[in-house]
Amino acid sequence: MTEAVSIESQGSQLMVYTRGAGTPLVFLHAAVCDSRMWARQMAHLSNSYRVIAYDRPGFGESPPRTFASSSIADVLNVLDGLGIAEPAVLIGCSQ
């Protein structure tokens, strides 16, 4: 079952979805979608990995930001917020 949590990053909240256990795989959605674009991949890969996807600011369930921010800081804050210290695999689309 997918767990949804809100994690603070750079002064706003990001909705994060995770399931499974093992090596963390972080899915980064395209600029025209939100984390739901990875639902099928997450369902399949969660049998062997800890899969993570989050809605970037202004997409899905994460509110927009009205100030400049860093996408890299968001990824790091998501990993920290989930207590992940080991290396993670990033899987992206677009941007």
Side-chain angles (χ1 to χ4, degrees), residues 4-89:
V5 297
S6 179
I7 293 178
E8 193 278 328
S9 180
Q10 303 180 80
S12 67
Q13 298 295 311
L14 300 175
M15 281 306 300
V16 180
Y17 307 92
T18 184
R19 67 189 291 180
T23 301
L25 305 181
V26 181
F27 292 91
L28 305 169
H29 68 77
V32 295
C33 299
D34 59 32
S35 63
R36 293 175 295 175
M37 73 175 277
W38 298 111
R40 292 180 72 186
Q41 292 84 356
M42 289 179 68
H44 178 74
L45 292 170
S46 67
N47 295 321
S48 303
Y49 300 95
R50 181 170 185 191
V51 295
I52 302 153
Y54 64 95
D55 292 330
R56 294 184 303 119
F59 296 88
E61 299 298 318
S62 294
R65 289 186 180 137
T66 58
F67 51 88
S69 60
S70 165
S71 296
I72 295 168
D74 284 339
V75 172
L76 295 174
N77 288 328
V78 166
L79 293 172
D80 287 346
L82 294 173
I84 296 172
E86 70 267 26
V89 175

